[in-house]
């Protein structure tokens, strides 16, 4: 989980409060540093700690109570799932219609079943009883977007973020890329191989906290690009999480509040695929399946994990 003091959305909120309430130079500002110091002193190190610990006000200076309450409301608003008006939904659907409809998986048969591939700016979950199958699909998906299509004059560039604990995935992706390079002229292969590996970012995520830290940092970086209007329609990101179940299960092993952890992961994923970001981000998640008492098969982690 990102430390509270490095949560950019809190800092941006505090700066906006300073600007709106105190436009004059030298006017009093929101005591963010004092609040963070007081909270850290009593063991509040993340935004989720701020929501979960009930006796914060009893342990912090009275002069900061009003400001700490305001911080809690900011965190709650950030993690909550707001409703949308019909006008908002219509606008989003129109924006989605203007974008290319899908991103190919690199597996011809699967793309045919999916009418061209996975939908852009969407979160797709691939589930199977055999984790080897979903992992292989994820690897093929990654490799397909690290190389241009043979004999195609495409300017499309894709940066691939592959999230998995361990280094074996990097070796497997490299093997698949090397195999696909046989379709290109020999004089291009070395250069294309180097460019492919430069666009592949393998992130080691051993638990949900590491996953959330990456997702928040990624969202902040992409928001900065959108604000600076630096994104190009030919640029897109592919985020692959292989697999989600081990990351969430660690929360149960540590006896943390799994509902809040799962909700925070879902909200972070929805944030990075938001239409407000100019970068086209598509997310692929692999997961296992579980058999329930009523013989129904469903994704692992149960109903709480419904995307």
């Amino acid at each position: 989980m990102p430390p509270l003091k490095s949560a950019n959305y809190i800092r941006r909120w505090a700066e906006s409060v300073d600007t709106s309430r105190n436009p004059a130079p030298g006017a009093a500002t929101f005591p963010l540093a004092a609040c963070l110091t007081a909270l850290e002193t009593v063991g509040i190190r993340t935004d989720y700690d701020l929501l979960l610990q009930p006796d914060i006000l009893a342990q912090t200076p009275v002069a900061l109570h009003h400001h700490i309450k305001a911080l809690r409301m900011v965190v709650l608003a950030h993690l909550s799932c707001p409703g949308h008006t019909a006008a908002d939904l219509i606008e989003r659907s129109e924006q989605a219609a203007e974008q290319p409809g899908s991103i190919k998986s690199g597996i011809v048969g699967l793309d045919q079943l999916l009418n061209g591939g996975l939908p852009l700016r969407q979160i797709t979950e691939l589930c199977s009883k055999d984790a080897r199958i979903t992992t292989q699909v994820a690897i093929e998906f990654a490799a397909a977007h690290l190389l241009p299509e043979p004999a195609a004059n495409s300017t499309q560039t894709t940066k691939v973020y592959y999230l998995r604990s361990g280094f074996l995935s990097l070796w497997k992706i490299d093997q698949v890329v090397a195999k696909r390079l046989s379709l290109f002229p020999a004089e291009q292969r070395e250069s294309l191989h180097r460019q492919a590996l430069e666009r592949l970012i393998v992130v080691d995520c051993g638990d949900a906290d590491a996953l959330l830290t990456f997702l928040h940092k990624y969202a902040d970086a992409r928001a900065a690009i959108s604000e600076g209007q630096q994104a190009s329609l030919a640029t897109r990101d592919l985020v692959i999480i292989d697999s989600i179940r081990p990351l969430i299960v660690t929360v149960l092993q540590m006896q943390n509040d799994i509902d809040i952890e799962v909700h925070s992961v879902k909200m972070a994923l929805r944030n990075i695929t938001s239409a407000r970001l100019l970068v086209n981000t598509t997310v692929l998640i692999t997961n296992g399946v579980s058999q329930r008492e009523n013989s129904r098969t469903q994704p692992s982690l149960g109903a709480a994990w419904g995307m």
Side-chain angles (χ1 to χ4, degrees), residues 162-170 202-207 210 240-244 246-247 250:
Y162 198 98
L163 282 66
R164 176 141 191 198
S165 178
F167 296 98
L168 187 59
S169 300
L170 175 59
V202 177
V203 183
D204 293 327
C205 287
D207 53 35
I240 299 175
I241 304 175
D242 180 34
S243 88
I244 191 68
L247 304 182
T250 56

Side-chain angles (χ1 to χ4, degrees), residues 33 38 56 87 109 140 146 160 248 281 291 302:
I56 295 175
E140 293 286 347
L146 292 171
V160 178
I248 302 298
T281 300
Q291 197 81 22

Side-chain angles (χ1 to χ4, degrees), residues 233-246:
L233 291 178
T235 301
R236 62 190 180 192
D237 287 352
L238 172 61
V239 177
I240 299 175
I241 304 175
D242 180 34
S243 88
I244 191 68
R245 187 178 184 278

Side-chain angles (χ1 to χ4, degrees), residues 23-77:
T29 59
F30 185 86
L32 181 59
C35 289
L36 295 180
T37 299
L39 291 171
E40 189 169 356
T41 301
V42 297
I44 306 299
R45 294 180 173 82
T46 70
D47 41 11
Y48 299 97
D49 293 339
L50 187 58
L51 293 181
L52 292 174
Q53 189 162 323
D55 57 346
I56 295 175
L57 297 183
Q59 304 178 57
T60 51
V62 175
L64 295 176
H65 285 182
H66 173 73
H67 304 294
I68 290 174
K69 289 179 181 178
L71 281 178
R72 292 187 73 167
M73 294 303 297
V74 171
V75 172
L76 186 61

Side-chain angles (χ1 to χ4, degrees), residues 265-294:
V265 170
K266 291 193 292 186
M267 291 304 300
L269 288 169
R270 290 169 184 163
N271 184 34
I272 68 174
T273 56
S274 169
R276 68 183 178 82
L277 301 179
L278 294 182
V279 177
N280 288 315
T281 300
T282 301
V283 177
L284 173 66
I285 300 171
T286 68
N287 195 1
V289 296
S290 57
Q291 197 81 22
R292 299 303 178 188
E293 294 179 357
N294 56 8

Side-chain angles (χ1 to χ4, degrees), residues 185-236:
E187 64 272 13
Q188 297 181 11
R189 293 173 189 171
E190 182 178 352
S191 174
L192 287 173
H193 191 199
R194 183 179 64 255
Q195 294 172 17
L197 295 184
E198 287 174 350
R199 293 203 305 275
L200 172 64
I201 298 92
V202 177
V203 183
D204 293 327
C205 287
D207 53 35
D209 284 354
L211 173 61
L212 281 167
T213 297
F214 165 78
L215 292 175
H216 287 309
K217 289 183 176 179
Y218 175 89
D220 288 338
R222 290 303 175 263
I225 290 177
S226 298
E227 290 172 2
Q229 300 292 310
Q230 301 170 8
S232 166
L233 291 178
T235 301
R236 62 190 180 192

Side-chain angles (χ1 to χ4, degrees), residues 248 251 257-267 301 304-306:
I248 302 298
V251 180
D257 192 323
I258 189 170
D259 289 334
I260 290 181
E261 201 88 8
V262 167
H263 178 71
S264 62
V265 170
K266 291 193 292 186
M267 291 304 300
L301 305 174
W305 175 244

